[in-house]
Amino acid sequence: MEDADYPQGFNKITHEQDTSDDALSWLHTLFLPIAFSVTCVLGLIGNVLVILVFVFYEKIKTLTDSFFVILAIADILFLLTFPFLAYESAHAWDFGDALCKVIRGTYRVNFFTSMLTLTCITFDRFISITKVTKAAKYHVSKHKCRYGMCAVLWSLALLLALPQFIYSKSHHQEQCFEEYNPPIMEIVVVSLQMTVGFLLPLASMIICYSFILQTLVNARGVQKKKSMKIIVAIVVVFIATQLPYNALVLALALNKELASNTVFKTTSIVMEVIAYVHACLNPVLYFFVGTKFRKHFWRMLKVLGVNWRQDETTDHLRTTDGDSRNVSASTNICATSV
């Protein structure tokens, strides 16, 4: 059939639709499986090393050490779901309802655990740096209840992620996603999760770090500028990786018509990968920012028979409360803001 037989503009629309479908197909069959696989391998290696360092070298002596281990465990649990996500992207969901609930819920548990843990670390640094007169009493009391605090943190994260465990199910053995009934329930759930699990903790972190930065500006010490960079880096990395994707999730809950928009679907896929990649970024931050962590890492390699000579003459990363009480305010914030 000749082109003139088609309505005007039909060929152009069809070509654009075919191009968009090809792009989405490439993202699902190639980009997502590769991204999930690489992130899974690197993330598992990095987070296992983090746990080994804190368990066998730091001995989990402080509350902050416990928080770092929680972050690593949460990331490992989430990373274990990546092989299933990679398979689903390349083929279809063939694992049933039960595993669908686990996979969908694990991301939310990881997200809320990370956010709440970072908030706890922020509050810990806020008290230690800006409330010097109360810091000594606070350090004594927090050691007595650190296991209780960790239990409460995990419980709250599981509670916030409960809707994903309840409403997720496989559809025609091809896809795994949440299905809310009535539909208004999705708006309520997503809005509540974003408010309680992200926006409120984020606001608390911003307020606390504002006072911390103000204290550091007025403090003296060679590590002042470095400490401020560490704080900004941690907050920016988490927000940059998580906020775009979760904003798109909220937008889709408010307007289901976006699900048929090719640009929205493509953007969502890319933002989802960026959000998931965060699971392997914490070990990178520890390594490049924490001198003490690098020392333990080289020692571990030496024990394993890998001799890699490294000269670390200074220790800018302190994670024990004993150290943080004996250094300046600027060094204190460097202590546990990784």
Side-chain angles (χ1 to χ4, degrees), residues 138-276:
Y138 166 73
H139 285 308
V140 173
S141 61
K142 74 177 183 179
H143 284 296
K144 296 180 180 179
C145 58
R146 63 175 178 172
Y147 295 110
M149 293 176 62
C150 294
V152 170
L153 192 151
W154 276 102
S155 300
L156 183 56
L158 287 170
L159 181 62
L160 287 171
L162 193 59
Q164 276 67 37
F165 289 102
I166 295 175
Y167 294 104
S168 296
K169 65 179 182 178
S170 61
H171 297 264
H172 308 293
Q173 293 299 318
E174 293 182 357
Q175 292 180 307
C176 168
F177 56 87
E178 298 112 86
E179 185 176 54
Y180 296 89
N181 189 19
I184 189 65
M185 180 66 68
E186 181 176 4
I187 299 177
V188 174
V189 168
V190 175
S191 300
L192 181 63
Q193 287 180 330
M194 286 293 293
T195 301
V196 178
F198 186 76
L199 296 179
L200 290 179
L202 177 61
S204 302
M205 291 173 64
I206 293 175
I207 294 173
C208 289
Y209 278 129
S210 298
F211 284 103
I212 291 172
L213 290 175
Q214 184 178 3
T215 302
L216 290 179
V217 168
N218 298 326
R220 295 181 180 180
V222 295
Q223 294 302 315
K224 180 171 62 177
K225 293 183 178 180
K226 183 177 177 64
S227 301
M228 295 176 66
K229 291 180 180 179
I230 294 173
I231 297 170
V232 173
I234 295 169
V235 176
V236 168
V237 165
F238 189 82
I239 295 175
T241 56
Q242 302 300 321
L243 182 57
Y245 173 64
N246 284 277
L248 292 177
V249 171
L250 179 60
L252 182 60
L254 297 174
N255 184 8
K256 285 299 182 181
E257 293 181 359
L258 292 173
S260 60
N261 187 293
T262 303
V263 175
F264 182 86
K265 289 191 291 185
T266 304
T267 305
S268 296
I269 291 174
V270 176
M271 291 300 103
E272 181 181 18
V273 171
I274 293 175
Y276 288 7

Side-chain angles (χ1 to χ4, degrees), residues 1-273:
M1 184 177 295
E2 300 294 334
D3 291 346
D5 294 333
Y6 288 96
Q8 185 177 2
F10 182 86
N11 289 332
K12 181 179 180 180
I13 294 174
T14 303
H15 175 70
E16 291 177 352
Q17 184 65 40
D18 291 342
T19 303
S20 300
D21 291 341
D22 290 342
L24 286 173
S25 177
W26 176 83
L27 287 174
H28 278 287
T29 59
L30 188 63
F31 175 69
L32 284 177
I34 293 176
F36 288 149
S37 299
V38 173
T39 302
C40 180
V41 173
L42 297 180
L44 287 176
I45 294 174
N47 283 288
V48 167
L49 288 175
V50 168
I51 293 178
L52 291 177
V53 166
F54 281 103
V55 170
F56 294 103
Y57 292 92
E58 291 293 332
K59 306 298 183 182
I60 314 182
K61 295 185 290 293
T62 69
L63 178 63
T64 303
D65 293 342
S66 301
F67 285 149
F68 287 152
V69 173
I70 287 177
L71 287 174
I73 293 175
D75 286 340
I76 288 175
L77 292 176
F78 180 46
L79 287 164
L80 291 176
T81 69
F82 277 37
F84 302 98
L85 296 174
Y87 181 88
E88 180 192 17
S89 299
H91 303 282
W93 184 260
D94 297 327
F95 307 105
D97 286 343
L99 196 55
C100 175
K101 295 177 183 295
V102 173
I103 300 297
R104 298 291 297 179
T106 302
Y107 166 69
R108 284 296 161 188
V109 172
N110 173 268
F111 174 76
F112 295 130
T113 301
S114 299
M115 192 66 190
L116 296 174
T117 302
L118 290 175
T119 305
C120 290
I121 293 175
T122 301
F123 182 76
D124 177 58
R125 292 301 87 203
F126 172 76
I127 297 295
S128 299
I129 294 171
T130 65
K131 306 295 182 181
V132 180
T133 57
K134 300 179 181 180
K137 184 178 179 180
Y138 166 73
H139 285 308
V140 173
S141 61
K142 74 177 183 179
H143 284 296
K144 296 180 180 179
C145 58
R146 63 175 178 172
Y147 295 110
M149 293 176 62
C150 294
V152 170
L153 192 151
W154 276 102
S155 300
L156 183 56
L158 287 170
L159 181 62
L160 287 171
L162 193 59
Q164 276 67 37
F165 289 102
I166 295 175
Y167 294 104
S168 296
K169 65 179 182 178
S170 61
H171 297 264
H172 308 293
Q173 293 299 318
E174 293 182 357
Q175 292 180 307
C176 168
F177 56 87
E178 298 112 86
E179 185 176 54
Y180 296 89
N181 189 19
I184 189 65
M185 180 66 68
E186 181 176 4
I187 299 177
V188 174
V189 168
V190 175
S191 300
L192 181 63
Q193 287 180 330
M194 286 293 293
T195 301
V196 178
F198 186 76
L199 296 179
L200 290 179
L202 177 61
S204 302
M205 291 173 64
I206 293 175
I207 294 173
C208 289
Y209 278 129
S210 298
F211 284 103
I212 291 172
L213 290 175
Q214 184 178 3
T215 302
L216 290 179
V217 168
N218 298 326
R220 295 181 180 180
V222 295
Q223 294 302 315
K224 180 171 62 177
K225 293 183 178 180
K226 183 177 177 64
S227 301
M228 295 176 66
K229 291 180 180 179
I230 294 173
I231 297 170
V232 173
I234 295 169
V235 176
V236 168
V237 165
F238 189 82
I239 295 175
T241 56
Q242 302 300 321
L243 182 57
Y245 173 64
N246 284 277
L248 292 177
V249 171
L250 179 60
L252 182 60
L254 297 174
N255 184 8
K256 285 299 182 181
E257 293 181 359
L258 292 173
S260 60
N261 187 293
T262 303
V263 175
F264 182 86
K265 289 191 291 185
T266 304
T267 305
S268 296
I269 291 174
V270 176
M271 291 300 103
E272 181 181 18
V273 171

Side-chain angles (χ1 to χ4, degrees), residues 323-335:
D323 290 336
S324 64
R325 288 194 296 268
N326 296 324
V327 294
S328 65
S330 59
T331 305
N332 277 341
I333 190 59
C334 207

